[in-house]
Amino acid sequence: RIPSVFSVCSVGNLPLLLVAAVPRWVFRGSCLNCLVRIMDLTRLTQIAADTVGAAQRQLPPDIRALARGVAVHYEKAPAPDVLAEGFEPDILGLFTGTPHDAELSQDNPSPPQILLYLESLWDFAEQDVEIFRKEVRLTYLHELGHFLGWDEDEIAARGLD
């Protein structure tokens, strides 16, 4: 049995459902007409990590070895410094650091890493787990393409846009 409490929505005085102690799912309090189901960040991270691992296992061996050398970070949302660089708040992922076969330079001394923004991916997937998995896989492979030195045209030619 799921304990619930009814209250009043701050917008429009509509009934508000607050749900607690829900295994695997957390519900954001919302009026009954617009109840939004969101996944717990820990669970989203696990699904994303499993999806990235599966994507890596499907890569050709030479690329798989390179991919496993790139750190993948699962972030809730883009950090303020990412947004300050001009990226949109709903960006799905980002490759940062030095691409493969490029030398570290003073302009870009960072090791390669892929950032996946879980809230944006979850929203883009419209809270559907299967769509979320597909988008995590596509976004990961897209950002991995940047690590491999592919530009947007090469990424699109490979169906990773």
Side-chain angles (χ1 to χ4, degrees):
R1 184 165 184 263
I2 300 172
S4 61
V5 177
F6 284 90
S7 184
V8 176
C9 181
S10 61
V11 179
N13 292 328
L14 297 171
L16 178 71
L17 176 63
L18 303 174
V19 182
V22 180
R24 301 175 86 189
W25 294 94
V26 176
F27 290 84
R28 180 181 296 154
S30 180
C31 60
L32 292 177
N33 293 346
C34 59
L35 187 63
V36 177
R37 184 175 69 176
I38 62 167
M39 182 74 82
D40 176 87
L41 187 61
T42 301
R43 181 73 178 131
L44 282 178
T45 302
Q46 185 61 55
I47 292 169
D50 292 346
T51 301
V52 167
Q56 288 176 342
R57 288 188 295 277
Q58 294 172 345
L59 293 169
D62 55 331
I63 294 178
R64 183 182 321 134
L66 294 172
R68 289 190 172 151
V70 180
V72 180
H73 299 276
Y74 305 93
E75 305 288 334
K76 180 178 178 181
D81 61 321
V82 171
L83 298 176
E85 290 181 35
F87 291 101
E88 295 295 324
D90 61 352
I91 186 173
L92 303 178
L94 183 65
F95 169 74
T96 65
T98 305
H100 177 63
D101 281 344
E103 291 186 28
L104 290 177
S105 68
Q106 287 183 333
D107 294 339
N108 195 4
S110 305
Q113 63 179 347
I114 293 172
L115 305 169
L116 296 177
Y117 300 114
L118 302 180
E119 276 189 353
S120 295
L121 287 158
W122 186 239
D123 288 344
F124 187 82
E126 297 180 348
Q127 294 77 43
D128 181 293
V129 175
E130 289 310 311
I131 295 172
F132 176 76
R133 283 186 177 111
K134 289 176 186 175
E135 290 304 324
V136 165
R137 181 182 184 281
L138 182 62
T139 302
Y140 168 72
L141 292 174
H142 179 102
E143 301 308 332
L144 182 62
H146 287 304
F147 164 70
L148 295 171
W150 302 341
D151 64 20
E152 292 297 331
D153 290 335
E154 291 171 306
I155 287 170
R158 290 171 168 84
L160 301 175
D161 56 344

